[in-house]
Each structure stands twice: as C-alpha cells, then as structure tokens.
Amino acid sequence: MVRRHPGGYGSPSGEVPSVYVVSVINYKGGVGKTTVTANLGAELANRGMKVLLIDLDPQTSLTFSFYDPDDWRERLRDGRTVKRWYDGLRGDTPAVTLGELVVSPGPANAHLTGAGRLDLIASHLGLADIDLALARGVADGEDYDRELFRVRGALAEGLHDAALDGYDLVLIDCPPNFNVVTQSAVIASDHLLIPAKADYLSTLGIDHLCGSVGELVDRYNADARRFATSRRHHKVAPDVAGVVFTMIQLTAQRPIAAHQGYLDQVRALGLPVFPTALRENVTLFAGNTPRGVPVVLRHRVTSPVVQEELRQITTEFIAHLQPREVTV
Ligand SMILES: Nc1ncnc2c1ncn2[C@@H]1O[C@H](COP(=O)(O)OP(=O)(O)OP(=O)(O)O)[C@@H](O)[C@H]1O
Ligand SMILES: [Mg+2]
C-alpha cells in the first residue's frame, strides 16, 4: 500500500527499497514516543496494513508493550532482539539478518479485525552499550569517518531484506538520545514523526532535534561521496511527517492556553503539526489494563482518546504519506 517512490531518495546502496520507513523520534524523554508508536502501528495494522515495529530503545518499553518481561526473557532475550543485529555489525558475533529477528506478538494480532499484521523486532537493555562498542577500536581520522558512515547507513542496508518485502511500513521507536543507533534510524527513514509535549523544554528540543537531523543528513551525504561503494547511491533526505502533541490538557474541547502557546510556537518554526493532539488521560495509559494490546485495539475502551484522537492521528498520518505514495 504505502511504498516509496522508485525514483525517490533511497538507501545507501541505491537499490529501490520495498518498504516505507518512519522513525518516531524526539530526544526528549517521556513525551509519548512509545505510546504513539504502539498505537499508530496497531491502528494501521487494524486498517489492513502489514506493519513492522522496531524497538531501538534499550529501555525496551515498546517490546514490553507487547510481551510480558518473563516471556521476553525466555523467548526473545538471547536470540531475537535487535541488539544481536547491531552486535553482528562489529563482526564480533555472526551476522544475522533483520528478517531473522521478527516476532509476531500474539495478543495484539488476535485483536486485529482485517488482513493486516503487526510484527516486532524487540529490543534489549544491552543496546545501551552498542554506541561505545561500535566506536571502539577505530582510530580517529579517515578510518573512523568511514566506519561511522558504514554504521550510520547500516540499518538502511539491513532493511533491504527479502524477508521484509511484505511489509507496507516500518515504524521505529527511537530512544531519547541521538546516539549512533538513533542516527542509523534517521538515515534509514523516509519520514520522522515527532511526538512532543506542549511545554517549554519539549518545544525547545524540537528545534534542536531538527538542527541535529539536518547536520547528520548533510554529513552522511557528504561522507557518501567519499566512501559509498555503490555507484547507484542516492541522497538520504528524511522529512518531518509532523509533530504530534501528546498529553494535552483540554478546556471546553480546546488545549488550555498554556499548551496552545507552544502549539503555535512549533507551527511558527515552519514544521507541520498534526491537527489532532492526544489529550492527557493517566487512567487510560497507566491503568491496570491487559498487557500486550495497545489501547487503540481494546474494543471496550470508549475514551475519546481512542475513539477520536488516536484514530484521527492515524488518518492524518496516512494523509501525510499520500503525496509520496505510488501504486504498486
Ligand atoms: N496521552 C497520555 N496521557 C497520559 N499519560 C500518557 C499519555 N501518553 C503517554 N502517557 C504515559 O506517559 C509515559 C511516557 O510515555 P512514553 O513511554 O510513550 O514516552 P516516551 O517518549 O517513549 O518515553 P522515553 O523517552 O522514556 O522512551 C508513560 O507512562 C505513558 O503511559
Ligand atoms: Mg519510549
């Protein structure tokens, strides 16, 4: 359904990727990245899309949204997490393909009504050490630059896996930092989706994030001219799908004045802002609800957060992707 334009920007190798990649990113912590990733992914799957979620956060919150920690320990920890793939990049352990790491969370998939699918590549606490490990042993200078270029482009390369061809969309839940793992997600992405709270530091952070993304992309494309091994290399150019505001307090169905000011401020930065914001509902998100099934799939939940906002944000997200969509 949603496929990247064959003539568009692409992966470091320049091959036409068959899967559309979106990173959910903000290096401010606790702004709703994981909540948005889980529910957006689930709702898209419920509308018939084949969605692959990738948890790149060592906190493993997205993974634990779908798997019980005991289950993760027994079935996923040692063999089926994205850490194993990043470990393989260094050559210390045998390389695996991303396709080998995919798991299908049972309870969430049992709640889907259509022909869609929701799969996951799980995370691991040890992913926090990857950043240091990837840089270890490579001296400064040209070799270091080449290695950094390789690692930054590795996820984009890894997503060229025939086993992943069936997915319409890959949604990546990024950690709240901008380390090399996060950078590899940015380089692999067609779009960035930025959840944010409407407060001073979050708003400040968005501007800063966009600056860091711009610098990374420029550096990566410049390095590609020095180090790319494929003649068919395309420039990477992820764009901002939009800022989605979360945890908003409403009065008379409108964001309270303290929030509205920040919404306006982000629009003034020239960034697209989703018309629908996610209101704060602590009971819904922190409540004693069944594990493994995002709220958007829980049929008994009648909150406007689900009925109106999460579904509407999904519709707005799809609408943003439409102009780049091609029929395949
Ligand atoms: N609309 C909401 N109303 C109330 N609580 C929310 C809402 N959205 C998310 N939360 C809660 O806020 C906390 C942070 O959300 P979440 O984990 O999605 O943020 P995050 O940006 O992924 O955090 P981190 O940076 O640590 O990865 C969680 O406990 C979550 O349940
Ligand atoms: Mg998170």
Side-chain angles (χ1 to χ4, degrees):
M1 183 180 160
V2 181
R3 297 288 162 107
R4 193 185 319 218
H5 192 286
Y9 45 80
S11 78
S13 71
E15 293 164 39
V16 177
S18 58
V19 68
Y20 208 84
V21 183
V22 178
S23 283
V24 183
I25 185 166
N26 190 333
Y27 45 39
K28 181 102 179 59
V31 294
K33 294 180 290 295
T34 301
T35 305
V36 167
T37 308
N39 284 283
L40 178 63
E43 178 62 12
L44 289 167
N46 205 34
R47 294 185 192 188
M49 285 178 76
K50 295 187 172 51
V51 179
L52 174 64
L53 305 177
I54 303 182
D55 187 356
L56 283 191
D57 189 348
Q59 295 179 98
T60 59
S61 315
L62 183 68
T63 302
F64 292 146
S65 307
F66 293 98
Y67 284 89
D68 188 82
D70 289 337
D71 218 11
W72 174 83
R73 213 169 292 116
E74 281 164 27
R75 295 175 47 205
L76 308 183
R77 183 185 62 183
D78 295 333
R80 288 193 127 181
T81 75
V82 76
K83 176 180 179 299
R84 200 170 148 218
W85 185 81
Y86 280 99
D87 281 341
L89 275 187
R90 275 190 51 78
D92 291 348
T93 58
V96 287
T97 63
L98 289 170
E100 289 172 72
L101 302 174
V102 172
V103 292
S104 265
N109 278 283
H111 276 70
L112 299 181
T113 48
R117 200 168 77 224
L118 187 63
D119 287 346
L120 173 75
I121 298 181
S123 191
H124 191 293
L125 202 66
L127 201 59
D129 304 326
I130 292 284
D131 204 29
L132 284 176
L134 285 171
R136 194 179 53 200
V138 182
D140 281 351
E142 179 144 320
D143 283 351
Y144 180 84
D145 290 351
R146 184 182 286 106
E147 178 63 2
L148 200 54
F149 170 73
R150 181 184 77 92
V151 172
R152 283 172 168 161
L155 189 62
E157 285 291 342
L159 288 168
H160 284 261
D161 181 340
L164 307 180
D165 274 356
Y167 292 105
D168 298 304
L169 180 77
V170 176
L171 264 186
I172 304 175
D173 187 24
C174 293
N177 62 40
F178 205 66
N179 70 17
V180 74
V181 171
T182 310
Q183 292 173 20
S184 68
V186 171
I187 296 301
S189 293
D190 300 291
H191 291 288
L192 309 176
L193 178 64
I194 308 178
K197 285 200 210 174
D199 62 29
Y200 176 68
L201 288 176
S202 298
T203 316
L204 204 67
I206 293 171
D207 205 13
H208 196 47
L209 173 71
C210 292
S212 301
V213 166
E215 278 171 29
L216 169 68
V217 167
D218 287 350
R219 167 80 193 269
Y220 183 83
N221 286 327
D223 282 350
R225 290 192 286 275
R226 293 164 72 196
F227 303 126
T229 47
S230 163
R231 283 197 299 120
R232 292 200 302 144
H233 175 84
H234 289 237
K235 276 174 78 169
V236 298
D239 85 329
V240 176
V243 176
V244 56
F245 278 100
T246 63
M247 302 181 219
I248 293 288
Q249 289 178 31
L250 302 180
T251 174
Q253 296 305 308
R254 294 189 54 78
I256 59 171
H259 287 328
Q260 189 61 52
Y262 291 111
L263 267 66
D264 295 341
Q265 209 171 308
V266 170
R267 283 198 185 93
L269 289 173
L271 293 171
V273 174
F274 278 66
T276 304
L278 198 56
R279 83 183 71 179
E280 184 170 60
N281 186 328
V282 175
T283 310
L284 185 63
F285 288 102
N288 185 20
T289 41
R291 278 184 183 279
V293 184
V295 291
V296 78
L297 294 182
R298 292 189 207 139
H299 307 307
R300 291 206 190 128
V301 174
T302 53
S303 161
V305 173
V306 171
Q307 301 302 336
E308 296 161 24
E309 292 160 10
L310 286 169
R311 293 193 178 133
Q312 186 56 28
I313 287 167
T314 305
T315 301
E316 290 165 14
F317 175 80
I318 294 170
H320 181 87
L321 302 184
Q322 295 298 330
R324 288 167 187 277
E325 199 174 313
V326 289
T327 308
V328 291

